Amino acid sequence: MTLKACKKEEKMDRGFQKKFKFEGSITVLTQMMVDPAATEKRGGAKNLPLRPGEILDVIQFTNQEQILCRNSQRRYGYVPRAVMLPL
């Protein structure tokens, strides 16, 4: 990974921590898959856009309805638990 790419990732991570008021280091708890039968959803202010069958990194289990996740483009957001399947 180049220095420029490393700095870009660090900047994105700092932006995530500020937006979601997340403290501490960002660690991946597990990976989960978006239900292939789910309809494609657009992201909102803090919601992650979803594609059926996509693999997401779980950052935090926030509550009974939502999970804080990161996709392959290093974008962060909330995802409904109802559309997530364990790997």
Side-chain angles (χ1 to χ4, degrees), residues 57-69:
D57 295 330
V58 176
I59 306 300
Q60 184 180 39
F61 292 98
T62 53
N63 58 33
Q64 295 292 5
E65 290 91 36
Q66 294 182 324
I67 303 172
L68 185 58
C69 295

Side-chain angles (χ1 to χ4, degrees), residues 34-43 48-54 79-80 82-84:
V34 177
D35 187 356
T39 57
E40 193 167 317
K41 294 186 179 184
R42 295 182 116 165
L48 195 61
L50 301 176
R51 290 178 297 175
E54 182 178 24
V79 177
V83 298
M84 299 299 286

Side-chain angles (χ1 to χ4, degrees), residues 6-76:
C6 238
K7 287 193 180 277
K8 184 177 179 181
E9 283 185 9
E10 286 177 14
K11 184 177 179 182
M12 289 177 76
D13 289 347
R14 282 193 307 271
F16 154 74
Q17 288 176 325
K18 185 177 179 182
K19 183 176 181 178
F20 290 92
K21 297 180 176 85
F22 188 86
E23 294 184 11
S25 63
I26 300 169
T27 56
V28 176
L29 302 176
T30 186
Q31 289 187 324
M32 296 181 87
M33 181 173 70
V34 177
D35 187 356
T39 57
E40 193 167 317
K41 294 186 179 184
R42 295 182 116 165
K46 289 190 175 183
N47 294 330
L48 195 61
L50 301 176
R51 290 178 297 175
E54 182 178 24
I55 305 293
L56 302 175
D57 295 330
V58 176
I59 306 300
Q60 184 180 39
F61 292 98
T62 53
N63 58 33
Q64 295 292 5
E65 290 91 36
Q66 294 182 324
I67 303 172
L68 185 58
C69 295
R70 175 177 68 194
N71 65 11
S72 58
Q73 290 88 33
R74 294 194 65 85
R75 294 218 166 93
Y76 296 89

